[in-house]
Amino acid sequence: MTNASKARILVLGDTPTYQKEQWDAFCQRFEVIPADLSSRENFQQSLRDKRYGQFDGIVKFAVETGNAASPWDAELIALLPPTVKLFAAAGAGFDYMSVPDLNARGIAFANSRGAGDTATSDIGLFLILATFRLTSYAEWGARTGDPQVFHDVHLDIATKARNPRGKTLACVGLGAIQREIARKAKALGMEICYYDVAPPPPDVVEALEARRIGSLAELAGQADCVSVSVPYMESTHHLIDSAFLAAMKPGSRIINTARGPVIDEAALVAALKSGHLLSAGLDVHEFEPQVSKELIGMKQVTLTTHIGGVAQETHVEFERLVMENTERFLLDEQPLLTPVGKQFAATKM
């Protein structure tokens, strides 16, 4: 421990909004230090100048704040004091963090996976329904306020919309969020198939009555709708490319609740323009917060602003998990609840 009485924790961004009692107790157990995140350069200089002194852990309570230092690459991680043992953060994604570089410094990383599963899977289900029933196109037609447009859109959708019942949802990845999406889609009467490099537990597959498909290309050909839900990393960059999209059935659909760059956006635009794909539902975008102007102009495409996990219940859980992971690992000699990367043994400070 860097202090005779309390471990010291550097806080990135906002402090907890919802878990006030837990936060008060946390502040009794730790010495809390707010980070200067006016810019990445200022934060780096603060570390070089040792303005924060020695500290034992880093916490980030919200996905939306505390991001000015990113990306957490080798250059930034090298500036951390040797006393740091843990980085605990809100959110399930960790594409901003070089976990191998963090682990190489002897620092454990914990995200907050599971907190947003319900919220993200709800958005996944919404996008599935939107792509089958073309609801964004219908809303556009209604919002014109023009009776003739209303009538024309109604007639046009009548020739294209389909019910999801009896159709096949092809899952790229079958992790926790995707399992919830699949479970909810199954309640609509959809058939489930999947491809995942990490085989899910047999009981999960059995409960979903899901068929395992041996390759991505084969999965594409099975789909009436593809659901993309995998972590973003080097190996999943443009995992969904022009070859995958070409292998999909004519008139099929795709949704993405993972990260934008998992799909080659240019290839997706081309597939939609050609009519090979009927529709798409995207909560995430390759170059967000910039959204493709070509996709914006496509009425058969549903676009949202990366709101998959954006629900109050999710943020409550983010805050709880960040604090609980930190207390368990640094004070209570217990393993992390949601480790990512190398799993270090907890060491009492």
Side-chain angles (χ1 to χ4, degrees):
M1 189 184 297
T2 59
N3 182 291
S5 57
K6 292 181 180 180
R8 305 181 80 236
I9 302 296
L10 188 69
V11 179
L12 306 180
D14 293 346
T15 57
T17 300
Y18 303 103
Q19 298 282 20
K20 291 295 189 182
E21 288 187 14
Q22 188 181 4
W23 173 240
D24 289 343
F26 187 89
C27 291
Q28 292 298 311
R29 303 190 77 185
F30 294 99
E31 181 182 349
V32 174
I33 315 156
D36 174 10
L37 292 175
S38 53
S39 70
R40 176 179 166 91
E41 292 73 23
N42 285 347
F43 181 65
Q44 288 177 305
Q45 193 60 49
S46 294
L47 292 173
R48 291 189 192 99
D49 295 343
K50 298 180 172 51
R51 293 176 195 166
Y52 307 120
Q54 302 294 302
F55 51 92
D56 305 284
I58 303 169
V59 295
K60 186 175 181 297
F61 290 108
V63 172
E64 296 82 6
T65 70
N67 298 315
S70 294
W72 280 79
D73 52 15
E75 177 189 30
L76 178 55
I77 291 167
L79 299 175
L80 296 174
T83 51
V84 179
K85 298 299 180 188
L86 174 67
F87 193 128
F94 46 92
D95 43 300
Y96 64 92
M97 172 63 66
S98 176
V99 175
D101 285 309
L102 200 70
N103 291 166
R105 288 288 308 276
I107 303 170
F109 182 73
N111 67 356
S112 302
R113 65 180 179 274
D117 289 2
T118 295
T120 306
S121 62
D122 284 349
I123 290 297
L125 182 65
F126 159 74
L127 292 174
I128 290 168
L129 286 167
T131 59
F132 274 96
R133 298 297 304 275
L134 302 177
T135 56
S136 291
Y137 181 23
E139 184 173 5
W140 170 82
R143 286 182 181 276
T144 65
D146 185 323
Q148 188 59 51
V149 172
F150 185 106
H151 178 71
D152 291 344
V153 170
H154 174 89
L155 293 180
D156 191 25
I157 288 177
T159 67
K160 298 172 180 175
R162 303 290 300 277
N163 290 329
R165 178 171 295 277
K167 307 302 189 300
T168 296
L169 181 70
C171 299
V172 179
L174 200 61
I177 292 172
Q178 187 82 284
R179 294 168 198 173
E180 278 295 287
I181 293 173
R183 183 181 66 80
K184 292 168 182 177
K186 188 172 174 58
L188 297 178
M190 298 192 76
E191 304 292 329
I192 310 298
C193 65
Y194 73 96
Y195 171 82
D196 199 321
V197 294
D203 61 316
V204 169
V205 176
E206 183 178 351
L208 293 172
E209 299 179 288
R211 293 183 292 114
R212 182 183 181 278
I213 306 298
S215 70
L216 271 177
E218 185 182 354
L219 183 82
Q222 298 281 319
D224 295 299
C225 181
V226 167
S227 173
V228 181
S229 183
V230 294
Y232 179 62
M233 55 189 77
E234 186 177 351
S235 61
T236 60
H237 181 79
H238 285 186
L239 182 68
I240 307 303
D241 57 11
S242 57
F244 181 95
L245 297 170
M248 290 176 65
K249 297 177 183 178
S252 53
R253 307 146 189 84
I254 189 167
I255 72 160
N256 188 6
T257 56
R259 288 293 186 269
V262 174
I263 296 181
D264 181 341
E265 202 166 83
L268 176 61
V269 167
L272 288 163
K273 276 186 170 181
S274 72
H276 181 67
L277 292 188
L278 175 68
S279 59
L282 306 173
D283 183 44
V284 290
H285 310 273
E286 184 167 1
F287 303 105
E288 65 181 64
Q290 181 60 59
V291 178
S292 162
K293 290 181 171 54
E294 289 182 289
L295 290 172
I296 289 171
M298 296 179 180
K299 298 181 180 68
Q300 77 274 32
V301 175
T302 296
L303 305 169
T304 53
T305 57
H306 201 151
I307 59 167
V310 182
Q312 188 176 114
E313 291 85 352
T314 301
H315 289 85
V316 168
E317 276 298 284
F318 281 168
E319 294 174 2
R320 181 189 69 80
L321 277 168
V322 169
M323 287 186 277
E324 191 165 340
N325 270 317
T326 304
E327 291 175 333
R328 286 171 64 93
F329 193 78
L330 294 182
L331 299 183
D332 301 334
E333 296 186 272
Q334 297 184 57
L336 293 168
L337 295 170
T338 51
V340 176
K342 182 178 179 181
Q343 298 188 33
F344 293 85
T347 302
K348 192 172 182 66
M349 303 301 296

